Short mmCIF file of all heavy atoms in Angstrom, two decimals:
data_model
loop_
_atom_site.label_atom_id
_atom_site.label_comp_id
_atom_site.label_asym_id
_atom_site.label_seq_id
_atom_site.Cartn_x
_atom_site.Cartn_y
_atom_site.Cartn_z
N PRO A 1 0.78 -1.22 0.00
CA PRO A 1 0.01 -0.01 -0.01
C PRO A 1 0.84 1.27 0.00
O PRO A 1 0.44 2.25 -0.63
CB PRO A 1 -0.84 -0.12 1.28
CG PRO A 1 -0.90 -1.60 1.53
CD PRO A 1 0.41 -2.16 1.07
N ASP A 2 2.00 1.26 0.67
CA ASP A 2 2.77 2.52 0.77
C ASP A 2 3.53 2.79 -0.53
O ASP A 2 4.19 3.84 -0.65
CB ASP A 2 3.73 2.47 1.94
CG ASP A 2 4.79 1.39 1.76
OD1 ASP A 2 4.44 0.38 1.14
OD2 ASP A 2 5.89 1.54 2.29
N LEU A 3 3.50 1.88 -1.54
CA LEU A 3 4.20 2.10 -2.76
C LEU A 3 3.32 2.66 -3.84
O LEU A 3 3.84 3.12 -4.86
CB LEU A 3 4.80 0.78 -3.25
CG LEU A 3 5.92 0.20 -2.39
CD1 LEU A 3 6.45 -1.06 -3.00
CD2 LEU A 3 7.07 1.18 -2.22
N VAL A 4 1.99 2.59 -3.72
CA VAL A 4 1.11 3.08 -4.77
C VAL A 4 0.17 4.12 -4.19
O VAL A 4 -0.58 3.84 -3.28
CB VAL A 4 0.32 1.92 -5.38
CG1 VAL A 4 -0.65 2.45 -6.40
CG2 VAL A 4 1.27 0.94 -6.07
N ARG A 5 0.20 5.32 -4.71
CA ARG A 5 -0.71 6.39 -4.31
C ARG A 5 -1.21 7.06 -5.57
O ARG A 5 -0.69 6.88 -6.66
CB ARG A 5 0.02 7.38 -3.40
CG ARG A 5 0.52 6.78 -2.12
CD ARG A 5 1.09 7.89 -1.21
NE ARG A 5 2.29 8.47 -1.74
CZ ARG A 5 3.48 7.97 -1.57
NH1 ARG A 5 3.67 6.85 -0.88
NH2 ARG A 5 4.57 8.58 -2.05
N THR A 6 -2.23 7.88 -5.43
CA THR A 6 -2.76 8.59 -6.55
C THR A 6 -2.37 10.03 -6.43
O THR A 6 -2.24 10.59 -5.35
CB THR A 6 -4.28 8.48 -6.64
OG1 THR A 6 -4.85 9.01 -5.43
CG2 THR A 6 -4.69 7.04 -6.85
N GLY A 7 -2.15 10.69 -7.58
CA GLY A 7 -1.88 12.10 -7.57
C GLY A 7 -0.45 12.42 -7.16
O GLY A 7 0.42 11.52 -7.08
N LEU A 8 -0.16 13.64 -6.81
CA LEU A 8 1.15 14.08 -6.40
C LEU A 8 1.40 13.66 -4.93
O LEU A 8 0.46 13.69 -4.10
CB LEU A 8 1.32 15.56 -6.49
CG LEU A 8 1.17 16.12 -7.95
CD1 LEU A 8 1.34 17.66 -7.91
CD2 LEU A 8 2.13 15.50 -8.91
N ASP A 9 2.64 13.32 -4.56
CA ASP A 9 2.88 13.00 -3.17
C ASP A 9 3.17 14.32 -2.41
O ASP A 9 3.09 15.42 -2.95
CB ASP A 9 4.03 12.01 -3.05
CG ASP A 9 5.36 12.55 -3.52
OD1 ASP A 9 5.51 13.78 -3.66
OD2 ASP A 9 6.29 11.73 -3.76
N GLU A 10 3.51 14.17 -1.15
CA GLU A 10 3.70 15.37 -0.31
C GLU A 10 4.82 16.25 -0.81
O GLU A 10 4.81 17.48 -0.56
CB GLU A 10 3.97 14.94 1.15
CG GLU A 10 2.74 14.27 1.78
CD GLU A 10 3.05 13.77 3.17
OE1 GLU A 10 4.22 13.92 3.61
OE2 GLU A 10 2.17 13.27 3.85
N GLY A 11 5.79 15.68 -1.51
CA GLY A 11 6.89 16.50 -2.05
C GLY A 11 6.61 17.10 -3.41
O GLY A 11 7.46 17.69 -3.99
N GLY A 12 5.42 16.83 -3.96
CA GLY A 12 5.07 17.35 -5.28
C GLY A 12 5.48 16.44 -6.41
O GLY A 12 5.36 16.86 -7.58
N ALA A 13 5.98 15.26 -6.15
CA ALA A 13 6.39 14.35 -7.21
C ALA A 13 5.17 13.71 -7.87
O ALA A 13 4.09 13.53 -7.25
CB ALA A 13 7.27 13.22 -6.61
N ASN A 14 5.33 13.35 -9.13
CA ASN A 14 4.18 12.81 -9.87
C ASN A 14 4.36 11.33 -10.23
O ASN A 14 3.65 10.79 -11.05
CB ASN A 14 3.99 13.55 -11.20
CG ASN A 14 5.04 13.21 -12.25
OD1 ASN A 14 6.20 13.02 -11.94
ND2 ASN A 14 4.60 13.11 -13.53
N GLY A 15 5.31 10.65 -9.56
CA GLY A 15 5.57 9.24 -9.90
C GLY A 15 4.39 8.37 -9.76
O GLY A 15 4.26 7.31 -10.43
N SER A 16 3.39 8.69 -8.89
CA SER A 16 2.23 7.82 -8.69
C SER A 16 1.04 8.21 -9.54
O SER A 16 0.02 7.59 -9.49
CB SER A 16 1.84 7.85 -7.21
OG SER A 16 2.84 7.37 -6.39
N GLN A 17 1.21 9.24 -10.40
CA GLN A 17 0.08 9.62 -11.27
C GLN A 17 -0.14 8.56 -12.33
O GLN A 17 0.80 8.01 -12.92
CB GLN A 17 0.34 10.95 -11.88
CG GLN A 17 0.17 12.15 -10.98
CD GLN A 17 0.21 13.44 -11.71
OE1 GLN A 17 0.91 13.61 -12.71
NE2 GLN A 17 -0.51 14.42 -11.23
N THR A 18 -1.42 8.28 -12.62
CA THR A 18 -1.75 7.25 -13.60
C THR A 18 -2.63 7.83 -14.69
O THR A 18 -3.34 8.80 -14.51
CB THR A 18 -2.50 6.10 -12.94
OG1 THR A 18 -3.69 6.61 -12.27
CG2 THR A 18 -1.62 5.39 -11.89
N VAL A 19 -2.59 7.21 -15.84
CA VAL A 19 -3.45 7.53 -16.97
C VAL A 19 -4.31 6.31 -17.23
O VAL A 19 -3.78 5.19 -17.34
CB VAL A 19 -2.59 7.83 -18.26
CG1 VAL A 19 -3.48 8.03 -19.45
CG2 VAL A 19 -1.71 9.06 -17.98
N PRO A 20 -5.62 6.47 -17.30
CA PRO A 20 -6.52 5.28 -17.52
C PRO A 20 -6.14 4.57 -18.80
O PRO A 20 -5.82 5.21 -19.84
CB PRO A 20 -7.93 5.88 -17.59
CG PRO A 20 -7.81 7.21 -16.87
CD PRO A 20 -6.43 7.70 -17.14
N PHE A 21 -6.17 3.25 -18.74
CA PHE A 21 -5.88 2.45 -19.94
C PHE A 21 -7.16 2.17 -20.80
O PHE A 21 -7.14 2.26 -21.99
CB PHE A 21 -5.20 1.14 -19.60
CG PHE A 21 -4.90 0.27 -20.77
CD1 PHE A 21 -3.81 0.54 -21.57
CD2 PHE A 21 -5.70 -0.83 -21.07
CE1 PHE A 21 -3.52 -0.26 -22.70
CE2 PHE A 21 -5.44 -1.63 -22.19
CZ PHE A 21 -4.34 -1.36 -22.99
N TYR A 22 -8.23 1.81 -20.07
CA TYR A 22 -9.47 1.47 -20.76
C TYR A 22 -10.30 2.70 -21.11
O TYR A 22 -10.23 3.71 -20.43
CB TYR A 22 -10.29 0.50 -19.90
CG TYR A 22 -9.57 -0.81 -19.62
CD1 TYR A 22 -9.11 -1.12 -18.31
CD2 TYR A 22 -9.38 -1.74 -20.62
CE1 TYR A 22 -8.43 -2.31 -18.09
CE2 TYR A 22 -8.73 -2.95 -20.38
CZ TYR A 22 -8.27 -3.24 -19.09
OH TYR A 22 -7.64 -4.43 -18.85
N GLY A 23 -11.06 2.59 -22.19
CA GLY A 23 -11.91 3.69 -22.60
C GLY A 23 -12.24 3.65 -24.08
O GLY A 23 -11.73 2.77 -24.79
N LYS A 24 -13.06 4.56 -24.56
CA LYS A 24 -13.47 4.56 -25.97
C LYS A 24 -12.26 4.76 -26.85
O LYS A 24 -12.17 4.20 -27.94
CB LYS A 24 -14.48 5.66 -26.18
CG LYS A 24 -14.95 5.75 -27.66
CD LYS A 24 -16.03 6.77 -27.84
CE LYS A 24 -16.47 6.79 -29.34
NZ LYS A 24 -17.51 7.80 -29.59
N HIS A 25 -11.32 5.67 -26.43
CA HIS A 25 -10.13 5.97 -27.21
C HIS A 25 -8.90 5.50 -26.45
O HIS A 25 -8.90 5.42 -25.22
CB HIS A 25 -10.00 7.47 -27.46
CG HIS A 25 -11.22 8.08 -28.04
ND1 HIS A 25 -11.68 7.78 -29.31
CD2 HIS A 25 -12.03 9.05 -27.55
CE1 HIS A 25 -12.70 8.52 -29.56
NE2 HIS A 25 -12.99 9.29 -28.52
N GLN A 26 -7.87 5.16 -27.19
CA GLN A 26 -6.61 4.79 -26.51
C GLN A 26 -5.96 6.02 -25.89
O GLN A 26 -6.11 7.12 -26.37
CB GLN A 26 -5.65 4.20 -27.56
CG GLN A 26 -6.01 2.79 -28.02
CD GLN A 26 -4.84 2.15 -28.72
OE1 GLN A 26 -3.77 1.86 -28.08
NE2 GLN A 26 -4.95 1.89 -30.00
N ALA A 27 -5.28 5.75 -24.77
CA ALA A 27 -4.49 6.81 -24.11
C ALA A 27 -3.29 7.13 -24.97
O ALA A 27 -2.94 6.37 -25.93
CB ALA A 27 -4.09 6.42 -22.73
N GLY A 28 -2.61 8.22 -24.67
CA GLY A 28 -1.38 8.59 -25.38
C GLY A 28 -1.62 9.40 -26.64
O GLY A 28 -0.71 9.63 -27.44
N ILE A 29 -2.86 9.87 -26.80
CA ILE A 29 -3.22 10.71 -27.97
C ILE A 29 -3.70 12.01 -27.48
O ILE A 29 -3.08 13.07 -27.67
CB ILE A 29 -4.23 10.00 -28.88
CG1 ILE A 29 -3.73 8.64 -29.31
CG2 ILE A 29 -4.58 10.85 -30.07
CD1 ILE A 29 -4.72 7.75 -30.02
N ALA A 30 -4.86 12.03 -26.79
CA ALA A 30 -5.34 13.24 -26.12
C ALA A 30 -4.61 13.49 -24.79
O ALA A 30 -4.72 14.58 -24.25
CB ALA A 30 -6.84 13.16 -25.88
N THR A 31 -3.91 12.48 -24.31
CA THR A 31 -3.13 12.62 -23.06
C THR A 31 -2.08 13.75 -23.23
O THR A 31 -1.44 13.83 -24.27
CB THR A 31 -2.40 11.34 -22.75
OG1 THR A 31 -3.36 10.25 -22.77
CG2 THR A 31 -1.70 11.41 -21.42
N GLY A 32 -1.93 14.59 -22.22
CA GLY A 32 -0.88 15.58 -22.25
C GLY A 32 0.46 14.88 -22.46
O GLY A 32 0.79 13.94 -21.75
N PRO A 33 1.28 15.35 -23.45
CA PRO A 33 2.50 14.61 -23.74
C PRO A 33 3.40 14.48 -22.55
O PRO A 33 3.67 15.45 -21.81
CB PRO A 33 3.16 15.51 -24.84
CG PRO A 33 2.00 16.23 -25.46
CD PRO A 33 1.04 16.49 -24.34
N GLN A 34 3.95 13.28 -22.34
CA GLN A 34 4.87 13.01 -21.26
C GLN A 34 6.27 13.40 -21.70
O GLN A 34 6.54 13.72 -22.86
CB GLN A 34 4.79 11.54 -20.88
CG GLN A 34 3.40 11.09 -20.38
CD GLN A 34 2.52 10.50 -21.46
OE1 GLN A 34 2.54 10.95 -22.60
NE2 GLN A 34 1.74 9.47 -21.11
N ALA A 35 7.19 13.36 -20.78
CA ALA A 35 8.54 13.85 -21.04
C ALA A 35 9.37 12.88 -21.85
O ALA A 35 10.29 13.30 -22.58
CB ALA A 35 9.28 14.12 -19.71
N HIS A 36 9.08 11.59 -21.78
CA HIS A 36 9.94 10.56 -22.45
C HIS A 36 9.02 9.64 -23.26
O HIS A 36 7.88 9.33 -22.84
CB HIS A 36 10.74 9.80 -21.44
CG HIS A 36 11.62 10.62 -20.59
ND1 HIS A 36 12.89 10.99 -20.98
CD2 HIS A 36 11.41 11.19 -19.36
CE1 HIS A 36 13.40 11.77 -20.02
NE2 HIS A 36 12.54 11.90 -19.04
N ALA A 37 9.56 9.12 -24.35
CA ALA A 37 8.79 8.21 -25.22
C ALA A 37 9.71 7.21 -25.88
O ALA A 37 10.87 7.53 -26.19
CB ALA A 37 7.99 8.97 -26.27
N VAL A 38 9.14 6.03 -26.11
CA VAL A 38 9.76 5.04 -26.97
C VAL A 38 8.74 4.56 -27.95
O VAL A 38 7.57 4.35 -27.60
CB VAL A 38 10.30 3.83 -26.12
CG1 VAL A 38 10.51 2.61 -27.00
CG2 VAL A 38 11.62 4.18 -25.44
N PHE A 39 9.18 4.45 -29.21
CA PHE A 39 8.33 3.94 -30.29
C PHE A 39 8.94 2.65 -30.77
O PHE A 39 10.10 2.66 -31.30
CB PHE A 39 8.20 4.95 -31.41
CG PHE A 39 7.70 6.30 -30.93
CD1 PHE A 39 8.59 7.25 -30.46
CD2 PHE A 39 6.35 6.58 -30.94
CE1 PHE A 39 8.16 8.48 -30.04
CE2 PHE A 39 5.91 7.82 -30.50
CZ PHE A 39 6.78 8.78 -30.03
N ALA A 40 8.26 1.52 -30.59
CA ALA A 40 8.82 0.22 -30.98
C ALA A 40 7.92 -0.40 -32.03
O ALA A 40 6.75 -0.60 -31.82
CB ALA A 40 8.89 -0.70 -29.73
N ALA A 41 8.54 -0.64 -33.22
CA ALA A 41 7.82 -1.29 -34.28
C ALA A 41 8.25 -2.77 -34.38
O ALA A 41 9.45 -3.05 -34.29
CB ALA A 41 8.10 -0.60 -35.62
N LEU A 42 7.26 -3.67 -34.50
CA LEU A 42 7.52 -5.09 -34.53
C LEU A 42 6.93 -5.68 -35.79
O LEU A 42 5.93 -5.20 -36.32
CB LEU A 42 6.95 -5.78 -33.30
CG LEU A 42 7.51 -5.35 -31.95
CD1 LEU A 42 6.63 -4.27 -31.38
CD2 LEU A 42 7.61 -6.52 -30.97
N ASP A 43 7.57 -6.78 -36.29
CA ASP A 43 7.09 -7.50 -37.44
C ASP A 43 6.65 -8.89 -36.99
O ASP A 43 7.32 -9.58 -36.23
CB ASP A 43 8.21 -7.66 -38.47
CG ASP A 43 8.42 -6.37 -39.24
OD1 ASP A 43 7.52 -5.53 -39.31
OD2 ASP A 43 9.53 -6.20 -39.82
N LEU A 44 5.49 -9.31 -37.49
CA LEU A 44 4.96 -10.64 -37.19
C LEU A 44 5.90 -11.72 -37.65
O LEU A 44 6.51 -11.64 -38.72
CB LEU A 44 3.63 -10.84 -37.82
CG LEU A 44 2.44 -10.01 -37.30
CD1 LEU A 44 1.29 -10.09 -38.27
CD2 LEU A 44 2.00 -10.51 -35.90
N ARG A 45 6.04 -12.77 -36.84
CA ARG A 45 6.78 -13.96 -37.27
C ARG A 45 5.90 -14.71 -38.32
O ARG A 45 4.67 -14.62 -38.31
CB ARG A 45 7.12 -14.86 -36.11
CG ARG A 45 8.05 -14.20 -35.10
CD ARG A 45 8.56 -15.20 -34.04
NE ARG A 45 9.44 -14.58 -33.12
CZ ARG A 45 10.74 -14.38 -33.30
NH1 ARG A 45 11.31 -14.74 -34.45
NH2 ARG A 45 11.48 -13.84 -32.38
N GLY A 46 6.57 -15.44 -39.18
CA GLY A 46 5.85 -16.04 -40.30
C GLY A 46 4.83 -17.08 -39.93
O GLY A 46 3.89 -17.32 -40.68
#
């Protein structure tokens, strides 16, 4: 329990902030852009 909280902690850190995964639209589009990103493209095995 002490490792997962919602919103900013007492020091103003945002490490525990979450973005909903489920919904009509995928997250990561209307979501405010985060500071870091990785784009990984994969090819199906035959």
Side-chain angles (χ1 to χ4, degrees):
D2 63 330
L3 293 181
V4 176
R5 298 185 293 274
T6 58
L8 300 180
D9 65 17
E10 293 177 356
N14 75 321
S16 298
Q17 285 190 328
T18 58
V19 175
F21 179 78
Y22 297 110
K24 180 177 180 180
H25 307 296
Q26 289 196 64
I29 303 171
T31 307
Q34 300 94 323
H36 302 275
V38 160
F39 304 87
L42 298 95
D43 284 339
L44 290 167
R45 296 189 180 277

